[in-house]
Coordinates of all heavy atoms in Angstrom, one line a residue:
M1 N -6.9 -95.4 18.3 CA -6.7 -94.5 19.3 C -7.0 -93.1 18.8 O -6.5 -92.6 17.7 CB -5.2 -94.6 19.6 CG -4.7 -93.6 20.7 SD -4.1 -94.7 22.0 CE -4.5 -93.9 23.4
G2 N -7.9 -92.4 19.4 CA -8.3 -91.1 19.0 C -7.3 -90.0 19.4 O -6.5 -90.1 20.2
V3 N -7.4 -88.9 18.7 CA -6.6 -87.7 19.0 C -7.4 -86.8 19.9 O -8.6 -86.4 19.6 CB -6.3 -86.9 17.7 CG1 -5.5 -85.7 18.0 CG2 -5.5 -87.8 16.7
P4 N -6.9 -86.4 21.0 CA -7.6 -85.5 21.9 C -7.8 -84.1 21.3 O -7.0 -83.7 20.5 CB -6.7 -85.4 23.2 CG -5.4 -85.9 22.8 CD -5.6 -86.8 21.6
F5 N -9.0 -83.5 21.5 CA -9.3 -82.3 20.9 C -8.3 -81.2 21.3 O -8.2 -80.2 20.6 CB -10.7 -81.9 21.1 CG -11.0 -81.5 22.5 CD1 -11.0 -80.1 22.8 CD2 -11.3 -82.4 23.5 CE1 -11.2 -79.7 24.1 CE2 -11.6 -82.0 24.8 CZ -11.5 -80.6 25.1
E6 N -7.7 -81.3 22.5 CA -6.8 -80.3 22.9 C -5.6 -80.1 22.0 O -5.0 -79.0 21.8 CB -6.2 -80.6 24.3 CG -7.3 -80.5 25.4 CD -7.9 -81.8 25.7 OE1 -7.6 -82.8 25.0 OE2 -8.8 -81.9 26.5
A7 N -5.2 -81.2 21.3 CA -4.1 -81.1 20.3 C -4.5 -80.4 19.0 O -3.6 -79.8 18.3 CB -3.6 -82.5 20.0
L8 N -5.8 -80.3 18.7 CA -6.2 -79.6 17.5 C -6.5 -78.1 17.7 O -6.7 -77.4 16.7 CB -7.5 -80.3 16.9 CG -7.3 -81.8 16.6 CD1 -8.6 -82.4 16.1 CD2 -6.2 -82.0 15.5
L9 N -6.7 -77.7 18.9 CA -7.0 -76.3 19.2 C -5.9 -75.3 18.6 O -6.2 -74.3 18.0 CB -7.2 -76.0 20.7 CG -8.5 -76.6 21.2 CD1 -8.5 -76.3 22.7 CD2 -9.6 -75.9 20.6
P10 N -4.6 -75.6 18.8 CA -3.6 -74.6 18.2 C -3.7 -74.6 16.6 O -3.6 -73.5 16.1 CB -2.3 -75.2 18.6 CG -2.5 -76.0 19.8 CD -3.9 -76.6 19.6
Y11 N -4.1 -75.7 16.0 CA -4.2 -75.6 14.6 C -5.5 -74.8 14.2 O -5.4 -74.0 13.2 CB -4.4 -77.1 14.0 CG -3.2 -77.9 14.1 CD1 -3.1 -79.0 15.0 CD2 -2.0 -77.6 13.4 CE1 -1.9 -79.7 15.1 CE2 -0.9 -78.3 13.5 CZ -0.8 -79.4 14.3 OH 0.3 -80.1 14.5
A12 N -6.5 -74.9 15.0 CA -7.7 -74.1 14.7 C -7.4 -72.6 14.9 O -7.9 -71.8 14.1 CB -8.9 -74.5 15.6
V13 N -6.6 -72.3 15.9 CA -6.3 -70.9 16.1 C -5.4 -70.4 15.0 O -5.6 -69.2 14.5 CB -5.5 -70.7 17.5 CG1 -4.9 -69.3 17.6 CG2 -6.5 -71.0 18.6
C14 N -4.4 -71.1 14.5 CA -3.6 -70.7 13.4 C -4.4 -70.5 12.1 O -4.2 -69.5 11.4 CB -2.5 -71.7 13.2 SG -1.2 -71.6 14.5
I15 N -5.2 -71.4 11.8 CA -6.1 -71.3 10.6 C -7.0 -70.1 10.7 O -7.2 -69.4 9.7 CB -6.8 -72.6 10.4 CG1 -5.8 -73.7 10.0 CG2 -7.9 -72.5 9.3 CD1 -6.5 -75.1 9.9
G16 N -7.6 -69.9 11.9 CA -8.4 -68.8 12.1 C -7.7 -67.5 11.9 O -8.2 -66.5 11.3
M17 N -6.5 -67.4 12.4 CA -5.7 -66.1 12.3 C -5.3 -65.9 10.9 O -5.3 -64.7 10.4 CB -4.5 -66.2 13.2 CG -4.8 -66.0 14.7 SD -5.5 -64.4 15.0 CE -6.4 -64.7 16.4
F18 N -4.9 -66.9 10.1 CA -4.6 -66.7 8.7 C -5.8 -66.3 7.9 O -5.7 -65.4 7.1 CB -4.0 -68.0 8.1 CG -2.6 -68.2 8.4 CD1 -2.1 -69.3 9.1 CD2 -1.6 -67.3 7.8 CE1 -0.7 -69.5 9.3 CE2 -0.3 -67.5 8.0 CZ 0.2 -68.6 8.8
G19 N -6.9 -66.9 8.2 CA -8.2 -66.5 7.6 C -8.6 -65.0 7.9 O -9.0 -64.3 7.0
F20 N -8.4 -64.6 9.1 CA -8.8 -63.3 9.5 C -7.9 -62.3 8.9 O -8.3 -61.2 8.4 CB -8.7 -63.1 11.1 CG -9.0 -61.7 11.5 CD1 -10.2 -61.2 11.5 CD2 -7.9 -61.0 12.0 CE1 -10.4 -59.9 11.9 CE2 -8.1 -59.7 12.4 CZ -9.4 -59.1 12.4
S21 N -6.5 -62.6 8.9 CA -5.6 -61.6 8.3 C -5.8 -61.5 6.8 O -5.7 -60.4 6.2 CB -4.2 -62.0 8.6 OG -3.8 -63.3 8.1
G22 N -6.1 -62.6 6.1 CA -6.4 -62.6 4.7 C -7.6 -61.7 4.4 O -7.6 -61.0 3.4
A23 N -8.7 -61.9 5.1 CA -9.9 -61.2 4.9 C -9.7 -59.7 5.2 O -10.2 -58.8 4.5 CB -11.0 -61.7 5.8
A24 N -8.9 -59.4 6.3 CA -8.6 -58.0 6.6 C -7.8 -57.3 5.5 O -8.1 -56.2 5.1 CB -7.9 -57.9 7.9
L25 N -6.8 -58.0 5.0 CA -6.0 -57.4 3.9 C -6.8 -57.2 2.6 O -6.7 -56.2 1.9 CB -4.8 -58.3 3.6 CG -3.6 -58.2 4.5 CD1 -2.5 -59.2 4.2 CD2 -3.0 -56.8 4.5
S26 N -7.7 -58.1 2.3 CA -8.5 -58.0 1.2 C -9.5 -56.8 1.3 O -9.7 -56.0 0.4 CB -9.4 -59.3 1.0 OG -10.3 -59.1 -0.1
K27 N -10.0 -56.6 2.5 CA -10.9 -55.5 2.8 C -10.1 -54.1 2.7 O -10.7 -53.2 2.1 CB -11.5 -55.6 4.1 CG -12.5 -54.5 4.5 CD -13.7 -54.6 3.6 CE -14.7 -53.6 4.1 NZ -15.9 -53.5 3.2
I28 N -8.9 -54.1 3.2 CA -8.1 -52.9 3.1 C -7.8 -52.5 1.7 O -7.9 -51.4 1.3 CB -6.9 -53.0 4.0 CG1 -7.2 -53.0 5.5 CG2 -5.9 -51.9 3.7 CD1 -6.1 -53.3 6.4
R29 N -7.4 -53.5 0.9 CA -7.1 -53.3 -0.5 C -8.3 -52.8 -1.3 O -8.2 -51.9 -2.1 CB -6.6 -54.5 -1.2 CG -5.2 -54.8 -0.8 CD -4.7 -56.0 -1.5 NE -3.3 -56.4 -1.1 CZ -2.7 -57.5 -1.4 NH1 -3.3 -58.4 -2.2 NH2 -1.5 -57.8 -1.0
A30 N -9.5 -53.3 -1.0 CA -10.7 -52.9 -1.6 C -11.0 -51.5 -1.2 O -11.5 -50.7 -2.1 CB -11.9 -53.8 -1.3
M31 N -10.8 -51.1 0.0 CA -11.1 -49.8 0.5 C -10.1 -48.8 -0.2 O -10.5 -47.7 -0.6 CB -11.0 -49.7 2.0 CG -12.1 -50.3 2.7 SD -11.9 -50.4 4.5 CE -11.2 -48.9 5.0
Q32 N -8.9 -49.2 -0.4 CA -7.9 -48.3 -1.1 C -8.3 -48.1 -2.6 O -7.9 -47.1 -3.2 CB -6.5 -48.9 -1.0 CG -5.9 -48.7 0.4 CD -4.6 -49.4 0.5 OE1 -4.2 -50.2 -0.3 NE2 -3.8 -49.0 1.5
N33 N -9.0 -49.1 -3.2 CA -9.4 -49.0 -4.6 C -10.8 -48.4 -4.8 O -11.4 -48.7 -5.8 CB -9.3 -50.4 -5.2 CG -7.9 -50.7 -5.6 OD1 -7.1 -49.9 -6.0 ND2 -7.5 -52.0 -5.5
G34 N -11.3 -47.8 -3.8 CA -12.6 -47.2 -3.9 C -13.7 -48.2 -3.9 O -14.8 -48.1 -4.5
G35 N -13.5 -49.3 -3.2 CA -14.5 -50.4 -3.0 C -14.5 -51.4 -4.2 O -15.4 -52.2 -4.2
K36 N -13.6 -51.3 -5.0 CA -13.5 -52.2 -6.2 C -12.3 -53.2 -6.0 O -11.4 -52.9 -5.2 CB -13.3 -51.4 -7.5 CG -14.4 -50.5 -7.8 CD -14.1 -49.7 -9.0 CE -15.2 -48.6 -9.2 NZ -14.9 -47.8 -10.4
R37 N -12.4 -54.3 -6.7 CA -11.3 -55.3 -6.5 C -10.1 -54.8 -7.3 O -10.1 -53.9 -8.1 CB -11.8 -56.6 -7.1 CG -13.0 -57.2 -6.4 CD -13.4 -58.5 -6.9 NE -12.3 -59.4 -6.5 CZ -12.4 -60.7 -6.9 NH1 -13.3 -61.1 -7.7 NH2 -11.4 -61.5 -6.6
A38 N -8.9 -55.3 -6.9 CA -7.6 -54.9 -7.4 C -7.5 -55.3 -8.9 O -8.1 -56.3 -9.3 CB -6.5 -55.5 -6.6
R39 N -6.8 -54.5 -9.7 CA -6.6 -54.8 -11.1 C -5.4 -55.6 -11.3 O -4.4 -55.5 -10.5 CB -6.4 -53.5 -11.8 CG -7.7 -52.6 -11.9 CD -7.5 -51.4 -12.8 NE -8.6 -50.6 -12.8 CZ -8.9 -49.7 -13.7 NH1 -8.1 -49.6 -14.7 NH2 -10.0 -49.0 -13.6
H40 N -5.4 -56.4 -12.3 CA -4.3 -57.3 -12.7 C -3.9 -57.0 -14.1 O -4.8 -56.6 -14.9 CB -4.7 -58.8 -12.5 CG -5.1 -59.2 -11.1 ND1 -4.1 -59.3 -10.1 CD2 -6.3 -59.4 -10.6 CE1 -4.7 -59.6 -9.0 NE2 -6.1 -59.7 -9.2
S41 N -2.7 -57.2 -14.5 CA -2.1 -57.0 -15.8 C -2.5 -55.6 -16.4 O -3.1 -55.5 -17.4 CB -2.6 -58.0 -16.9 OG -3.1 -59.2 -16.4
V42 N -2.1 -54.6 -15.6 CA -2.3 -53.2 -16.0 C -1.3 -52.8 -17.0 O -0.1 -52.8 -16.7 CB -2.3 -52.3 -14.8 CG1 -2.6 -50.9 -15.2 CG2 -3.4 -52.7 -13.8
D43 N -1.7 -52.4 -18.2 CA -0.7 -52.0 -19.2 C -0.7 -50.5 -19.3 O -1.3 -49.8 -18.5 CB -1.0 -52.6 -20.6 CG -2.4 -52.3 -21.1 OD1 -3.2 -51.6 -20.4 OD2 -2.7 -52.6 -22.3
Q44 N 0.1 -49.9 -20.3 CA 0.2 -48.5 -20.4 C -1.1 -47.8 -20.7 O -1.3 -46.7 -20.1 CB 1.2 -48.2 -21.5 CG 1.6 -46.7 -21.7 CD 2.2 -46.1 -20.4 OE1 3.0 -46.8 -19.8 NE2 1.9 -44.9 -20.1
W45 N -2.0 -48.4 -21.5 CA -3.3 -47.7 -21.7 C -4.1 -47.6 -20.5 O -4.7 -46.6 -20.2 CB -4.0 -48.6 -22.8 CG -5.4 -48.1 -23.1 CD1 -6.5 -48.6 -22.6 CD2 -5.8 -46.9 -23.8 NE1 -7.6 -47.8 -23.0 CE2 -7.2 -46.8 -23.8 CE3 -5.1 -46.0 -24.6 CZ2 -7.8 -45.8 -24.4 CZ3 -5.7 -45.0 -25.2 CH2 -7.1 -44.9 -25.1
D46 N -4.1 -48.7 -19.7 CA -4.9 -48.7 -18.4 C -4.3 -47.7 -17.5 O -5.1 -47.0 -16.8 CB -4.9 -50.1 -17.8 CG -5.6 -51.1 -18.6 OD1 -6.6 -50.7 -19.3 OD2 -5.3 -52.3 -18.5
R47 N -3.0 -47.5 -17.4 CA -2.4 -46.5 -16.5 C -2.7 -45.1 -17.0 O -3.0 -44.2 -16.2 CB -0.9 -46.7 -16.5 CG -0.4 -47.8 -15.7 CD 1.1 -47.8 -15.5 NE 1.6 -49.2 -15.4 CZ 2.1 -49.9 -16.3 NH1 2.3 -49.3 -17.5 NH2 2.5 -51.1 -16.2
Q48 N -2.8 -44.9 -18.3 CA -3.1 -43.6 -18.8 C -4.6 -43.3 -18.5 O -4.9 -42.1 -18.1 CB -2.9 -43.6 -20.3 CG -3.1 -42.2 -21.0 CD -2.8 -42.3 -22.5 OE1 -2.3 -43.3 -23.0 NE2 -3.2 -41.2 -23.1
M49 N -5.5 -44.2 -18.7 CA -6.9 -44.0 -18.4 C -7.1 -43.8 -16.8 O -7.9 -43.0 -16.4 CB -7.7 -45.2 -18.9 CG -7.8 -45.2 -20.4 SD -8.7 -43.8 -21.1 CE -7.3 -42.9 -21.8
M50 N -6.3 -44.5 -16.0 CA -6.5 -44.4 -14.6 C -6.0 -43.0 -14.2 O -6.5 -42.4 -13.3 CB -5.7 -45.5 -13.8 CG -6.4 -46.8 -13.9 SD -5.8 -48.2 -13.1 CE -4.2 -47.8 -12.5
D51 N -4.9 -42.5 -14.8 CA -4.4 -41.2 -14.5 C -5.4 -40.1 -14.9 O -5.7 -39.1 -14.2 CB -3.1 -40.9 -15.2 CG -2.4 -39.6 -14.8 OD1 -2.4 -39.3 -13.6 OD2 -1.9 -38.9 -15.7
R52 N -6.1 -40.3 -16.1 CA -7.1 -39.4 -16.5 C -8.3 -39.4 -15.5 O -8.8 -38.3 -15.2 CB -7.6 -39.8 -17.9 CG -8.7 -38.8 -18.4 CD -9.4 -39.5 -19.6 NE -10.0 -40.7 -19.1 CZ -11.3 -41.1 -19.3 NH1 -12.1 -40.3 -20.0 NH2 -11.7 -42.2 -19.0
D53 N -8.7 -40.6 -15.1 CA -9.8 -40.7 -14.1 C -9.4 -40.0 -12.8 O -10.3 -39.4 -12.2 CB -10.2 -42.1 -13.9 CG -10.8 -42.8 -15.1 OD1 -11.3 -42.1 -16.0 OD2 -10.8 -44.0 -15.2
R54 N -8.2 -40.1 -12.4 CA -7.7 -39.5 -11.2 C -7.8 -38.0 -11.3 O -8.2 -37.3 -10.4 CB -6.3 -39.9 -10.8 CG -5.8 -39.3 -9.5 CD -4.3 -39.5 -9.3 NE -3.5 -39.1 -10.4 CZ -3.2 -37.8 -10.7 NH1 -3.7 -36.9 -9.9 NH2 -2.4 -37.5 -11.7
R55 N -7.4 -37.5 -12.5 CA -7.5 -36.0 -12.7 C -8.9 -35.5 -12.8 O -9.2 -34.4 -12.4 CB -6.7 -35.6 -14.0 CG -5.2 -35.8 -13.8 CD -4.4 -35.3 -15.0 NE -4.6 -36.0 -16.2 CZ -5.2 -35.6 -17.3 NH1 -5.5 -34.3 -17.4 NH2 -5.3 -36.3 -18.4
L56 N -9.8 -36.4 -13.3 CA -11.2 -36.0 -13.4 C -12.0 -36.0 -12.1 O -12.7 -35.1 -11.8 CB -12.0 -36.9 -14.4 CG -11.8 -36.5 -15.9 CD1 -12.5 -37.5 -16.8 CD2 -12.5 -35.2 -16.2
T57 N -11.8 -37.1 -11.4 CA -12.6 -37.4 -10.2 C -11.8 -37.2 -8.9 O -12.5 -37.0 -7.8 CB -13.2 -38.8 -10.2 OG1 -12.1 -39.7 -10.1 CG2 -14.0 -39.0 -11.4
G58 N -10.5 -37.2 -8.9 CA -9.7 -37.2 -7.7 C -9.4 -38.5 -7.1 O -8.6 -38.6 -6.2
F59 N -10.0 -39.6 -7.7 CA -9.7 -41.0 -7.2 C -9.1 -41.7 -8.4 O -9.5 -41.5 -9.5 CB -11.0 -41.7 -6.8 CG -11.6 -41.0 -5.6 CD1 -12.8 -40.3 -5.7 CD2 -11.1 -41.1 -4.3 CE1 -13.4 -39.6 -4.7 CE2 -11.7 -40.5 -3.2 CZ -12.8 -39.8 -3.4
L60 N -8.2 -42.7 -8.1 CA -7.5 -43.4 -9.1 C -8.5 -44.3 -9.9 O -8.4 -44.5 -11.1 CB -6.4 -44.3 -8.5 CG -5.5 -45.0 -9.5 CD1 -4.7 -44.0 -10.3 CD2 -4.6 -45.9 -8.8
R61 N -9.5 -44.9 -9.2 CA -10.4 -45.8 -9.8 C -11.8 -45.1 -10.0 O -12.8 -45.8 -10.4 CB -10.6 -47.0 -8.9 CG -9.4 -47.8 -8.7 CD -9.1 -48.7 -9.8 NE -10.1 -49.6 -10.3 CZ -10.2 -50.8 -9.9 NH1 -9.4 -51.3 -9.0 NH2 -11.2 -51.6 -10.4
G62 N -11.9 -43.8 -9.8 CA -13.2 -43.1 -10.0 C -13.5 -42.9 -11.4 O -12.6 -42.7 -12.2
Q63 N -14.8 -42.9 -11.7 CA -15.3 -42.7 -13.1 C -16.4 -41.7 -13.0 O -17.2 -41.7 -12.0 CB -15.6 -43.9 -13.8 CG -14.5 -44.8 -14.1 CD -14.9 -46.1 -14.7 OE1 -16.1 -46.4 -14.9 NE2 -13.9 -46.9 -15.1
T64 N -16.6 -40.9 -14.0 CA -17.7 -40.0 -14.0 C -18.4 -40.0 -15.4 O -17.8 -40.4 -16.4 CB -17.2 -38.5 -13.7 OG1 -18.3 -37.7 -13.7 CG2 -16.2 -38.1 -14.8
D65 N -19.7 -39.6 -15.4 CA -20.5 -39.6 -16.6 C -20.9 -38.2 -17.0 O -21.7 -37.9 -17.8 CB -21.7 -40.5 -16.5 CG -22.6 -40.1 -15.4 OD1 -22.2 -39.2 -14.6 OD2 -23.7 -40.6 -15.4
N66 N -20.2 -37.2 -16.3 CA -20.5 -35.8 -16.7 C -20.0 -35.5 -18.1 O -19.0 -35.9 -18.5 CB -19.8 -34.8 -15.7 CG -20.4 -34.9 -14.3 OD1 -21.5 -35.4 -14.1 ND2 -19.7 -34.5 -13.3
V67 N -20.8 -34.7 -18.8 CA -20.4 -34.3 -20.2 C -19.3 -33.3 -20.2 O -18.4 -33.4 -21.0 CB -21.7 -33.7 -20.9 CG1 -21.3 -33.3 -22.3 CG2 -22.8 -34.8 -20.9
K68 N -19.3 -32.4 -19.2 CA -18.3 -31.3 -19.2 C -17.3 -31.7 -18.1 O -17.6 -32.2 -17.0 CB -18.9 -30.0 -18.8 CG -19.8 -29.4 -20.0 CD -20.1 -28.0 -19.7 CE -20.9 -27.5 -20.9 NZ -21.2 -26.0 -20.7
A69 N -16.0 -31.4 -18.4 CA -15.0 -31.6 -17.4 C -15.1 -30.6 -16.2 O -15.6 -29.5 -16.4 CB -13.6 -31.5 -18.0
P70 N -14.7 -30.9 -15.0 CA -14.8 -30.0 -13.9 C -13.9 -28.8 -14.1 O -12.9 -28.9 -14.9 CB -14.4 -30.8 -12.7 CG -13.6 -31.9 -13.3 CD -14.1 -32.2 -14.6
A71 N -14.1 -27.8 -13.4 CA -13.3 -26.6 -13.5 C -11.9 -26.9 -13.0 O -11.7 -27.6 -12.0 CB -13.9 -25.5 -12.6
G72 N -10.9 -26.4 -13.8 CA -9.5 -26.7 -13.5 C -8.9 -27.9 -14.2 O -7.8 -28.1 -14.1
F73 N -9.8 -28.7 -14.9 CA -9.3 -29.8 -15.5 C -8.4 -29.5 -16.7 O -7.4 -30.2 -17.0 CB -10.4 -30.7 -16.0 CG -10.0 -32.0 -16.7 CD1 -9.4 -33.0 -16.0 CD2 -10.0 -32.1 -18.1 CE1 -9.0 -34.2 -16.5 CE2 -9.6 -33.3 -18.7 CZ -9.1 -34.3 -17.9
E74 N -8.6 -28.3 -17.3 CA -7.8 -27.9 -18.5 C -6.4 -27.5 -18.0 O -5.4 -27.5 -18.8 CB -8.4 -26.7 -19.2 CG -8.5 -25.4 -18.4 CD -9.8 -25.4 -17.5 OE1 -10.6 -26.3 -17.5 OE2 -9.9 -24.4 -16.8
L75 N -6.2 -27.3 -16.7 CA -4.9 -26.9 -16.2 C -4.1 -28.1 -15.7 O -2.9 -28.0 -15.4 CB -5.0 -25.9 -15.0 CG -5.7 -24.6 -15.4 CD1 -5.9 -23.7 -14.2 CD2 -5.0 -23.9 -16.5
S76 N -4.8 -29.3 -15.5 CA -4.1 -30.5 -15.0 C -3.7 -31.3 -16.2 O -4.4 -32.3 -16.5 CB -5.0 -31.2 -14.0 OG -6.1 -31.7 -14.7
N77 N -2.7 -30.9 -16.8 CA -2.2 -31.6 -18.1 C -1.7 -33.0 -17.8 O -0.8 -33.1 -16.9 CB -1.2 -30.7 -18.8 CG -0.9 -31.2 -20.2 OD1 -1.4 -32.2 -20.6 ND2 -0.1 -30.4 -20.9
G78 N -2.1 -34.0 -18.5 CA -1.6 -35.3 -18.4 C -0.3 -35.5 -19.0 O 0.4 -36.5 -18.7
W79 N 0.2 -34.7 -19.9 CA 1.4 -34.8 -20.6 C 2.6 -34.5 -19.6 O 2.5 -33.5 -18.9 CB 1.5 -33.9 -21.8 CG 0.6 -34.4 -22.9 CD1 -0.7 -33.9 -23.1 CD2 0.9 -35.3 -23.9 NE1 -1.2 -34.5 -24.2 CE2 -0.3 -35.4 -24.7 CE3 1.9 -36.1 -24.2 CZ2 -0.4 -36.3 -25.8 CZ3 1.8 -37.0 -25.3 CH2 0.7 -37.0 -26.0
R80 N 3.6 -35.3 -19.6 CA 4.8 -35.1 -18.8 C 5.8 -34.3 -19.6 O 6.1 -34.6 -20.8 CB 5.4 -36.4 -18.4 CG 4.4 -37.3 -17.6 CD 4.1 -36.7 -16.3 NE 3.2 -37.6 -15.6 CZ 2.0 -37.4 -15.3 NH1 1.4 -36.3 -15.7 NH2 1.3 -38.2 -14.5
L81 N 6.3 -33.3 -19.0 CA 7.3 -32.4 -19.7 C 8.7 -33.0 -19.5 O 9.0 -33.4 -18.5 CB 7.2 -31.0 -19.2 CG 5.9 -30.2 -19.4 CD1 6.0 -28.9 -18.7 CD2 5.6 -30.1 -20.9
E82 N 9.4 -33.0 -20.6 CA 10.8 -33.4 -20.5 C 11.7 -32.2 -20.2 O 11.4 -31.1 -20.5 CB 11.3 -34.1 -21.7 CG 11.2 -33.3 -23.0 CD 11.6 -34.1 -24.2 OE1 11.7 -35.3 -24.1 OE2 11.8 -33.4 -25.3
R83 N 12.8 -32.5 -19.5 CA 13.7 -31.4 -19.2 C 14.4 -31.0 -20.5 O 14.9 -31.8 -21.3 CB 14.7 -31.9 -18.2 CG 14.0 -32.3 -16.9 CD 15.0 -32.7 -15.8 NE 15.9 -31.6 -15.6 CZ 17.0 -31.6 -14.8 NH1 17.3 -32.8 -14.2 NH2 17.8 -30.6 -14.7
G84 N 14.5 -29.7 -20.6 CA 15.2 -29.1 -21.8 C 16.7 -29.2 -21.6 O 17.3 -29.4 -20.5
F85 N 17.4 -29.0 -22.7 CA 18.9 -29.0 -22.7 C 19.3 -27.6 -22.3 O 18.9 -26.6 -22.9 CB 19.5 -29.3 -24.0 CG 19.2 -30.8 -24.4 CD1 18.3 -31.0 -25.4 CD2 19.8 -31.8 -23.8 CE1 18.0 -32.3 -25.8 CE2 19.5 -33.1 -24.1 CZ 18.6 -33.4 -25.1
I86 N 20.2 -27.5 -21.3 CA 20.6 -26.1 -20.9 C 22.0 -25.9 -21.2 O 22.9 -26.7 -21.3 CB 20.4 -26.0 -19.3 CG1 19.0 -26.1 -19.0 CG2 21.0 -24.7 -18.8 CD1 18.7 -26.1 -17.5

């Protein structure tokens, strides 16, 4: 006894919607990362380098090959200041 195709249409719709939403989320994450795939297992060194790249280029995942830093980079200090004792 065969299964009528009308019974399989809701399954096809559900699978299609899950596939579409997964592809859309993947595209949005790639757009937020400057067109690059998301990073995994980011340690302190990677965070420090990403912060430096953000200060150099303005983007978290941006990189540059300029020899000289842009104007104003010497004022964007990466060191975090601790609060003094008052």
Side-chain angles (χ1 to χ4, degrees):
M1 181 122 216
V3 176
F5 72 93
E6 292 93 359
L8 299 178
L9 285 177
Y11 292 111
V13 170
C14 286
I15 290 172
M17 286 296 154
F18 277 116
F20 175 75
S21 62
L25 282 174
S26 175
K27 182 66 176 174
I28 288 172
R29 285 183 184 170
M31 287 171 43
Q32 288 176 342
N33 281 324
K36 299 176 184 174
R37 298 183 70 184
R39 293 188 181 199
H40 299 285
S41 339
V42 178
D43 60 355
Q44 184 63 33
W45 175 259
D46 292 330
R47 283 190 212 99
Q48 183 177 353
M49 290 295 107
M50 287 182 352
D51 186 44
R52 180 197 58 130
D53 292 341
R54 183 190 53 76
R55 291 187 292 118
L56 276 174
T57 63
F59 298 105
L60 188 65
R61 298 284 303 268
Q63 294 178 351
T64 182
D65 60 349
N66 292 339
V67 177
K68 291 190 175 184
F73 182 73
E74 65 275 359
L75 301 177
S76 65
N77 191 356
W79 291 93
R80 304 291 184 247
L81 297 177
E82 61 184 10
R83 296 182 61 185
F85 296 108
I86 295 177

